[in-house]
Amino acid sequence: MHLILFDIDGTLINSSRAGRAAMGRALHEVFGVAGAVHTYSFAGKTDRRIVHDLMTAEGWTPAAVEARLPHFYERMAAAGQDLFTPERIRPCPGVLPLLDALGRRDDVVMALLTGNIRHTVPLKLAAAGIDPARFRVGAYGSDSIERDDLFGLAVARAHETLNRRFQARDVIVIGDTPADIRCARAGGGRAIAVATGPFAPDALSDCRPDHLFLDLAQTEAVLLALLTPATQPG
């Protein structure tokens, strides 16, 4: 059984900076300032990390930032209700056919590993025409400030929800940043990189993913990469 952990932004969807706009609005409402939200690099980071970085740079203490996160998450979800629309958010190439193909298999569990907070995930996916219910479990940017922590959380939640243990070699992270590849490696899983986000293929290749695709449109090739058993050390 394969546990496939999908990143969202740049992997499943292109959000046309709608997430950045929602975060900026929520930061203003909760902290009174958005800091460098328009120039800060979001790629590969959890939303929790982004908020901490932006607000501590504005003089807020980490403890004060952490205390306001629940309110911030509520306001960001409210902003998402306005900003996450099909006009702004679209699926990346090949995503819908790939999810359909995986959904027909009984040897695959689809899940999420994303820097997005749990509150905004269904809003973004639905805007792109992706049913959030396709994903049985997830680990989110509201769970930890560090992306690498999310691998273990996702695997643990899959075990708890499905009453099935997954070996690390059967867990695959699909993402568009070097941080996704590092996260997979930190958990002992496999990494499939896709160049539909901000990183060029060469930059992703330098991080040595197990497989690299320009996009997910080659459904059969992506399925083969996902479902071929990992090479055993020998």
Side-chain angles (χ1 to χ4, degrees), residues 74-225:
E74 292 175 2
R75 298 317 305 159
M76 189 165 174
Q81 293 278 4
D82 293 336
L83 297 172
F84 299 162
T85 65
E87 291 74 29
R88 289 186 173 96
I89 297 182
R90 292 180 171 83
C92 289
V95 163
L96 297 180
L98 177 63
L99 295 179
D100 286 342
L102 290 170
R104 291 191 291 269
R105 302 186 65 95
D106 59 8
D107 59 347
V108 165
V109 173
M110 289 188 286
L112 297 169
L113 192 161
T114 174
N116 286 275
I117 60 173
R118 182 191 295 265
H119 313 57
T120 58
V121 163
L123 303 175
K124 281 189 172 182
L125 292 177
I130 300 170
D131 183 358
R134 284 184 179 272
F135 305 98
R136 304 288 297 277
V137 296
Y140 308 94
S142 44
D143 289 326
S144 176
I145 199 168
E146 300 296 344
R147 191 180 194 94
D148 286 357
D149 294 342
L150 302 185
F151 186 99
L153 284 171
V155 173
R157 286 173 180 165
H159 170 60
E160 293 164 6
T161 301
L162 306 171
N163 194 29
R164 176 185 290 273
R165 293 194 179 277
F166 293 89
Q167 299 297 318
R169 64 178 178 270
D170 296 322
V171 182
I172 307 104
V173 174
I174 303 181
D176 65 296
T177 72
D180 295 296
I181 300 168
R182 289 194 298 270
C183 179
R185 299 295 184 235
R190 290 187 282 153
I192 291 183
V194 57
T196 43
F199 289 90
D202 286 350
L204 295 171
S205 180
D206 287 345
C207 298
R208 302 180 63 82
D210 294 280
H211 299 276
L212 171 62
F213 294 95
L214 296 181
D215 57 37
L216 297 176
Q218 299 176 44
T219 304
E220 292 304 319
V222 177
L223 287 174
L224 183 64

